[in-house]
Amino acid sequence: NDQLTSVDGLSKLKYIESDFYLSNNDILKNINGLGITSIGGDIEIYSNYELENIDALESLNDFDCDVIIYYNNQLNDLLGLKNITTFDNLTIYYNSDLSSLEGLDSLEEINGDLYIESNDDLTSLESLAKLTSISGSLSIYGNDTLQSLNGLEQLTFVGSSIYISYNYNLSDFCALNSEVIDLIETGYYYYGGIYGNDYNPTKDDLIAGDCSN
């Protein structure tokens, strides 16, 4: 919708039985006026090039769904997700103005995968401070300005692969605790690894405490 500027007409919509898609709205800056309190399916928000926030989703509480947020060039934060403690899968990529993950501060568990990829201005993961478990894979990839993994200190379980790669300024891995370090493969491995960052410690480096450059 290349002329849509408001979703006020959806103010009485409270429940979506299936999936929620917000996409290809070229000049939409926010979704204020949206009154959704429950979604039965997944959430996908993409290619809204002027979208600055998703605050109108803040009435959502825990639900079993996938959330995918990508190609929203002006998106500043994720505050609309601030009351959610559990996701199935969470994918956040190619949001070029997203400097932090503010809004994920209540997140404790992911039942599937967590992908944080190619967010050019992302400098902090500290809003993930309550996250303890990822049942699937963890990928932190191509976030050019990210310098540390601070915020992942409470993460003690990842059920599948761990990829931390091509974050060109990433040099501090000290937030990783021993349980997560045990799961890391280092080098170019199909099942994960640490490579292409400013510093690429081996598992032995991390165990020895050589976690930053």
Side-chain angles (χ1 to χ4, degrees):
N1 301 290
D2 57 7
Q3 298 299 315
L4 184 67
T5 60
S6 171
V7 294
D8 287 349
L10 300 176
S11 60
K12 293 185 178 180
L13 179 65
K14 301 299 181 184
Y15 173 66
I16 296 176
E17 183 175 0
S18 186
D19 301 328
F20 172 70
Y21 292 95
L22 182 72
S23 64
N24 295 294
N25 301 289
D26 294 345
I27 60 174
L28 185 67
K29 292 184 178 296
N30 61 65
I31 51 175
N32 296 347
L34 198 63
I36 297 173
T37 59
S38 181
I39 295 174
D42 299 331
I43 297 174
E44 192 163 350
I45 300 172
Y46 65 94
S47 298
N48 304 284
Y49 300 117
E50 298 296 324
L51 186 68
E52 297 175 352
N53 68 71
I54 54 172
D55 294 358
L57 298 179
E58 65 184 12
S59 294
L60 294 174
N61 291 306
D62 291 345
F63 52 96
D64 295 326
C65 76
D66 297 344
V67 174
I68 307 173
I69 300 173
Y70 60 102
Y71 287 119
N72 303 286
N73 295 345
Q74 303 298 319
L75 187 64
N76 297 314
D77 58 55
L78 304 172
L79 283 171
L81 306 177
K82 67 181 183 180
N83 293 315
I84 299 175
T85 62
T86 305
F87 293 106
D88 278 355
N89 297 286
L90 178 59
T91 301
I92 302 167
Y93 65 94
Y94 289 106
N95 302 287
S96 57
D97 272 10
L98 190 67
S99 60
S100 77
L101 301 178
E102 185 180 8
L104 298 181
D105 305 82
S106 297
L107 181 61
E108 299 174 359
E109 181 179 8
I110 294 178
N111 295 321
D113 303 323
L114 173 60
Y115 295 106
I116 302 171
E117 300 183 349
S118 301
N119 302 286
D120 293 343
D121 285 354
L122 186 66
T123 60
S124 172
L125 304 178
E126 293 184 2
S127 291
L128 297 177
K130 290 185 178 179
L131 180 63
T132 61
S133 175
I134 300 170
S135 296
S137 296
L138 169 64
S139 177
I140 301 173
Y141 174 94
N143 303 287
D144 292 345
T145 58
L146 187 66
Q147 297 183 17
S148 83
L149 299 180
N150 292 348
L152 296 181
E153 289 86 352
Q154 300 303 314
L155 182 64
T156 58
F157 177 74
V158 179
S160 188
S161 308
I162 299 174
Y163 293 89
I164 305 175
S165 53
Y166 296 111
N167 306 283
Y168 295 126
N169 285 290
L170 180 60
S171 61
D172 186 343
F173 292 73
C174 297
L176 299 179
N177 62 48
S178 58
E179 290 94 336
V180 173
I181 291 170
D182 283 343
L183 300 170
I184 291 175
E185 298 288 349
T186 53
Y188 290 88
Y189 292 99
Y190 179 78
Y191 292 107
I194 296 174
Y195 49 87
N197 307 291
D198 184 50
Y199 177 50
N200 299 287
T202 65
K203 181 183 292 187
D204 288 341
D205 290 333
L206 293 171
I207 292 171
D210 297 326
C211 55
S212 65
N213 186 8

